[in-house]
């Protein structure tokens, strides 16, 4: 997989907000940007650190967004 600061989130609940995702995932490291594509139920989180982004991707920490 190509190294990227962007983390893809699939299968998001339609009630989840960008600020919820930011709060949830900021424990891994500083977040630059959060974007939700409502009609597809997906999201992208752009971390400041490429290392953090890769760690989150590997762990699949945000699968489904349910806690």
């Amino acid at each position: 997989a190509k190294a990227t600061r962007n983390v893809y989130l699939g299968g998001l609940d339609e009630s989840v907000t960008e600020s919820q995702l930011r709060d949830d995932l900021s424990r891994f490291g500083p977040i630059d940007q959060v974007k939700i594509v409502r009609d597809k139920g997906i999201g992208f989180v752009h971390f400041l650190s490429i290392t953090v982004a890769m760690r989150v991707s590997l762990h699949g920490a945000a699968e489904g967004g349910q806690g």
Side-chain angles (χ1 to χ4, degrees):
K2 182 164 71 69
T4 172
R5 291 184 177 91
N6 259 329
V7 175
Y8 165 84
L9 308 173
L12 292 178
D13 194 282
E14 55 195 37
S15 66
V16 79
T17 65
E18 291 175 1
S19 59
Q20 279 176 312
L21 286 180
R22 185 182 289 269
D23 289 348
D24 193 35
L25 296 172
S26 61
R27 69 180 187 272
F28 294 103
I31 291 173
D32 180 38
Q33 198 174 17
V34 178
K35 180 165 175 49
I36 293 176
V37 184
R38 284 279 166 221
D39 54 336
K40 295 193 168 81
I42 61 174
F44 298 93
V45 180
H46 192 269
F47 286 91
L48 292 177
S49 158
I50 202 159
T51 313
V52 169
M54 288 173 68
R55 193 178 326 149
V56 174
S57 290
L58 286 173
H59 285 299
E63 283 306 306
Q66 275 90 22

